Amino acid sequence: MDLSFSELKDLVFNASMGSNLPAGVCEDLSFGVTFLETRSLPGCKELLYSLKCERHPPVSPQNNGVSLIFSNSRAIFEGLSAIDLLVSEACKSVILKNIDSSMLLVGLASNYYGLSFSFYKNKEICAALFNDQLNWENDNFRRSNDIEIRLNNSELKNPLAKRSRMLLDDNVFKELSNLASNMLVPESELSRTTGAGAGLSLIHI
């Protein structure tokens, strides 16, 4: 399925809303996932995987004096909190252990335009992000379980090329569309009389 930036962004937003996520999180995901896809990275597949992961009450991070450490992390929940805490300068770095999608973390961080993020695996930089540019240093990064994120100015030598249209796998498109359909209210007599636009009629003068 061939989609424009805005078409994919809207699809991801609706699929996230159909997954019962808060509107603010859906907005972050819509831009973050689309950012990844425009760099030829499988953001939509990563989102679908994260949505299927077990949801459990968030656990407060541990503080080792320098970093905030999140255990059993999920990008959509602990990941968003970790990035917010890092941006607010509550710590020098955040460590997310057993993260479900390290790639999705990069997409979510891309929403903070004007800040420079570095992503580390075993103390080695795997990805760097600044404004609209992304360096992808190590393809194994997407399969990493423990990731550290820092705010620093990393040199972006070969940023990934950006494309204007995305070719989405048909199965991925179908899954996202099915999730988005959860937003729709089944038609009924009640929905016809009380739903949006109900009771409106054309007035002829």
Side-chain angles (χ1 to χ4, degrees):
M1 178 63 67
D2 184 63
L3 299 172
S4 68
F5 180 94
S6 59
E7 289 170 337
L8 180 58
K9 180 175 68 67
D10 290 345
L11 176 61
V12 172
F13 179 86
N14 291 336
S16 301
M17 288 290 289
S19 300
N20 297 317
L21 294 175
V25 173
C26 297
E27 188 77 9
D28 287 342
L29 287 170
S30 67
F31 281 101
V33 169
T34 307
F35 174 89
L36 293 172
E37 289 285 346
T38 59
R39 273 73 185 175
S40 302
L41 294 172
C44 290
K45 285 185 178 180
E46 293 294 308
L47 172 64
L48 289 171
Y49 175 76
S50 289
L51 290 174
K52 293 173 184 175
C53 288
E54 179 184 359
R55 299 189 186 185
H56 53 76
V59 179
S60 299
Q62 296 178 332
N63 190 338
N64 67 2
V66 177
S67 304
L68 292 177
I69 304 171
F70 292 80
S71 300
N72 295 321
S73 309
R74 299 151 302 168
I76 296 174
F77 300 101
E78 288 82 5
L80 275 172
S81 297
I83 294 171
D84 285 342
L85 288 168
L86 185 61
V87 169
S88 67
E89 299 182 347
C91 55
K92 292 186 177 180
S93 77
V94 291
I95 298 173
L96 296 115
K97 291 185 172 293
N98 198 29
I99 185 72
D100 58 352
S101 174
S102 50
M103 183 185 295
L104 198 53
L105 283 176
V106 176
L108 292 170
S110 72
N111 291 319
Y112 290 89
Y113 195 86
L115 295 178
S116 180
F117 295 87
S118 294
F119 301 80
Y120 296 83
K121 174 187 178 184
N122 298 327
K123 304 298 182 182
E124 293 186 3
I125 191 167
C126 298
L129 177 67
F130 179 66
N131 286 346
D132 209 30
Q133 295 183 314
L134 171 63
N135 258 31
W136 198 261
E137 301 288 346
N138 189 338
D139 198 50
N140 289 328
F141 174 65
R142 70 180 65 183
R143 293 180 288 275
S144 299
N145 287 328
D146 296 347
I147 293 297
E148 181 178 9
I149 314 175
R150 303 177 194 167
L151 280 177
N152 54 25
N153 296 315
S154 298
E155 185 179 355
L156 301 182
K157 298 178 181 178
N158 298 299
L160 297 180
K162 182 180 179 181
R163 55 182 180 171
S164 58
R165 298 193 68 85
M166 282 65 69
L167 188 61
L168 211 60
D169 178 85
D170 287 344
N171 290 330
V172 171
F173 178 79
K174 183 177 180 180
E175 280 195 67
L176 290 173
S177 298
N178 286 341
L179 288 173
S181 68
N182 292 335
M183 293 178 58
L184 303 177
V185 178
E187 184 179 5
S188 65
E189 186 63 33
L190 180 63
S191 69
R192 285 192 291 271
T193 57
T194 62
L200 297 179
S201 60
L202 293 176
I203 300 176
H204 300 281
I205 299 177

